[in-house]
Amino acid sequence: MTSGPAPKKADASAATVGDVAARAGVSRATVSYTFTQPNRVSPDLRRRVLAAADELGYVGNDAARRLRVGHSLALGLLVSNMSNPVYAELAAGAEAEAAAHGRFILVANSDESPARERAYLNFFESQQVSGILAAPVGDVPAELLGLRERGTPFVLVGVAPGPHSYPAISGDNERGGHLAASHLLAQGRRRLIFIGGAHPHVDLRLAGVKRAVEESPEPPALEIIRTQVQTAKVGEAVARTLLRRRAAGFPDGIVAGNDLLALGLLHGLIVGGVRVPEDLSLVGYDDIEFADFAIVPLTTIRHPSATLGASAVRILLGLESEQDVEGRFEPELVVRATSLPVAGDRA
């Protein structure tokens, strides 16, 4: 009696952690631990997971393959400016998710220096980190792409420039800018200013502001002021220049590129005698912790920094969800006291 042909394995590129988990009747975390920390999984569960993976032809993503062969339990997090609370929140989200899976995060702050960024990437490689979460100074550095070619995967936390083969996740900055400007327009503000630095995320926020202005039945005036950096000190300095203007050239609505800039503007305007929000409505971006504790609590766009950090870790560990793979996270308008209330706005 001859036996029939052996059943073909499923396409490895199509099998996912979720598929293996469903076939084995275990959680996604158990699948991850089987390949990355097998000592945390009972022999029986390991056998079930490995059998399911073999049936499906699952080999995992680049990160899972590296972890499977015994590299470091550490993941590297590269940020461009740790003094910005956004990156502290990103790190907190990454650390919490990594800890849930027995991982550790090494945080590197390039302090806006490309040279320091390159040095940290070399350090990460010397430490054999299993993957890197990268929020670089500018575009993706060549050194990071080189690391990926040599087997260390990374997730870009930001907007990828042009076509790319690596995973990238970000908030929907264009949508956030549109929310901010639409909120001001709904209050009847007609002399708007966008103030922000030169950064891909900020450029997208500005694009959203412009779209809201163009969609307005009676397009208001929109002025753009670019800054070198986005700090509270710079915001205060910009406020002083605005205060020297005549009434006809003074704005009645401002969208700031981030909350630090907005808080500096708020301080400078109030000291100068401007009533916020009676004379001028102000909207920041990021919803950092300090935004709610300003002398006039700041209306802002909530950027999901901690969520992005957690998502990047899940992608590196091969535990990504459908939303993680999609790579785009929705912003939210948070209305506080620096803008006039509008019916229908979410507080």
Side-chain angles (χ1 to χ4, degrees), residues 28-60:
R28 293 166 65 95
T30 298
V31 175
S32 177
Y33 289 142
T34 297
F35 291 117
T36 62
Q37 300 177 68
N39 60 309
R40 297 186 62 174
V41 182
S42 71
D44 178 60
L45 284 182
R46 275 205 307 274
R47 283 192 294 271
R48 284 165 55 188
V49 170
L50 292 174
D54 187 59
E55 290 171 12
L56 295 171
Y58 173 78
V59 293

Side-chain angles (χ1 to χ4, degrees), residues 83-155:
S83 64
N84 187 332
V86 167
Y87 293 118
E89 293 176 10
L90 176 71
E95 287 180 332
E97 187 70 23
H101 301 288
R103 303 290 166 192
F104 302 91
I105 298 291
L106 298 179
V107 181
N109 172 32
S110 68
D111 199 25
E112 306 287 353
S113 167
R116 193 169 177 181
E117 186 172 81
R118 289 192 294 271
Y120 273 127
L121 289 173
N122 290 333
F123 171 73
F124 283 158
E125 185 169 29
S126 73
Q127 297 302 301
Q128 292 190 303
V129 298
S130 296
I132 297 172
L133 299 74
V137 174
D139 290 340
V140 176
E143 291 79 8
L144 193 54
L145 296 172
L147 277 172
R148 183 172 184 263
E149 291 175 359
R150 293 190 293 275
T152 302
F154 74 88
V155 176

Side-chain angles (χ1 to χ4, degrees), residues 129-216:
V129 298
S130 296
I132 297 172
L133 299 74
V137 174
D139 290 340
V140 176
E143 291 79 8
L144 193 54
L145 296 172
L147 277 172
R148 183 172 184 263
E149 291 175 359
R150 293 190 293 275
T152 302
F154 74 88
V155 176
L156 177 67
V157 184
V159 180
H164 61 281
S165 58
Y166 49 82
I169 57 175
S170 69
D172 190 340
N173 289 280
E174 198 273 348
R175 168 69 175 156
H178 188 271
L179 285 173
S182 297
H183 176 60
L184 295 178
L185 293 171
Q187 300 169 42
R189 303 303 192 180
R190 311 305 300 165
R191 300 183 305 279
L192 307 186
I193 295 183
F194 178 87
I195 304 171
H199 189 281
H201 293 178
V202 181
D203 292 342
L204 288 170
R205 293 167 192 176
L206 173 57
V209 170
K210 288 180 176 178
R211 180 164 67 88
V213 167
E214 291 167 358
E215 291 171 353
S216 178

